Amino acid sequence: MNKLNILVALTLFTAINCAAQTKPKATDFDLVNRQLTVTNDGTIHVNGVDSAGLVWLKGRKFTYGTIEFDIKGNDRLQGSFVGLAYHGLNDSTYEAVYFRPFNFKADDSVRRSHAVQYIALPQYDWPMLREKYPNKYEFSVTPAPNPNDWFHAKIDVSPAKVSVYVNYAKKPALVVTPLTSTGGSKIAYWVGFGSPGDWKNLKIVKKKQLAF
């Protein structure tokens, strides 16, 4: 095998584009601490209760690649934590990226720096990460979206890096090194304590390195 073929072999990926989807149904999901409704345009809406919540996508698996979706929270202080969980092993073991829309345009610069967050449960939740690794696993979003409106999110996941893009920006809002390897492949819409949330237009592109 010549150098060119070796390079191709090392960088070749298979990609499965799951963009084409029918309108989701409530039976497509497994719910944890939430109730769900699906609107006529395919929007997934979950209610807000005093716990974190998960909406697992039945039969969907993801290891590496890109997940894109439109998402909407609100501007209620400490009342909107919305995102997506991946590498799920069970209801308590997963990685997640989520947003705090009420911090997007806060007057306080410290609050703005807490706009997008990476966590890896159960060991690495946000209080521990903020205390031990300040400004490493959470950051601001620039330009800041309207906290009460839809915005677009893209999460690019590789073994060495997680990059989060907002509203088609070329520069990621957050780049982190994964903190764990859960061994899981489940995906879920994720909401934090007391938070409702809305999602639509989910697109998943899986990438798997080929062995030679």
Side-chain angles (χ1 to χ4, degrees):
M1 182 179 290
N2 61 35
K3 290 183 179 180
L4 178 60
N5 287 336
I6 292 173
L7 179 61
V8 171
L10 290 174
T11 58
L12 184 60
F13 290 87
T14 59
I16 304 172
N17 192 330
C18 304
Q21 300 181 53
T22 58
K23 178 183 172 181
K25 306 180 296 295
T27 54
D28 294 334
F29 308 98
D30 288 322
L31 306 180
V32 180
N33 299 327
R34 285 298 186 275
Q35 294 180 341
L36 175 147
T37 57
V38 181
T39 65
N40 289 334
D41 68 352
T43 295
I44 306 299
H45 173 78
V46 301
N47 62 328
V49 298
D50 289 345
S51 64
L54 291 159
V55 179
W56 294 112
L57 282 64
K58 289 182 180 178
R60 304 294 292 273
K61 294 184 178 181
F62 174 84
T63 305
Y64 300 118
T66 301
I67 307 172
E68 294 190 57
F69 50 94
D70 296 320
I71 186 169
K72 184 163 71 75
N74 61 67
D75 199 19
R76 183 165 65 89
L77 183 63
Q78 302 299 331
S80 186
F81 309 91
V82 290
L84 187 131
Y86 59 94
H87 291 169
L89 186 63
N90 51 48
D91 294 345
S92 59
T93 303
Y94 53 83
E95 294 174 80
V97 170
Y98 69 90
F99 302 89
R100 302 181 180 97
F102 56 87
N103 283 337
F104 283 169
K105 295 189 175 185
D107 293 333
D108 179 12
S109 62
V110 174
R111 280 184 51 197
R112 290 199 304 274
S113 71
H114 299 162
V116 55
Q117 174 85 53
Y118 165 89
I119 57 174
L121 298 185
Q123 186 174 359
Y124 300 102
D125 205 352
W126 72 266
M128 187 273 275
L129 294 177
R130 185 174 295 177
E131 178 183 359
K132 293 190 174 182
Y133 309 100
N135 303 315
K136 187 173 182 179
Y137 294 99
E138 58 184 339
F139 211 72
S140 59
V141 176
T142 304
N146 182 332
N148 290 306
D149 204 354
W150 288 97
F151 61 96
H152 184 79
K154 180 175 78 169
I155 305 172
D156 188 56
V157 181
S158 72
K161 185 169 64 175
V162 177
S163 304
V164 184
Y165 299 83
V166 176
N167 281 344
Y168 305 98
K170 293 183 178 180
K171 181 180 178 180
L174 182 70
V175 180
V176 301
T177 300
L179 287 170
T180 188
S181 178
T182 67
S185 59
K186 298 173 65 177
I187 312 169
Y189 300 123
W190 182 96
V191 283
F193 184 91
S195 180
D198 296 271
W199 300 261
K200 62 182 178 181
N201 300 326
L202 176 69
K203 177 183 176 182
I204 300 171
V205 177
K206 303 177 187 178
K207 295 180 181 178
K208 182 178 180 181
Q209 192 166 4
L210 297 179
F212 289 86

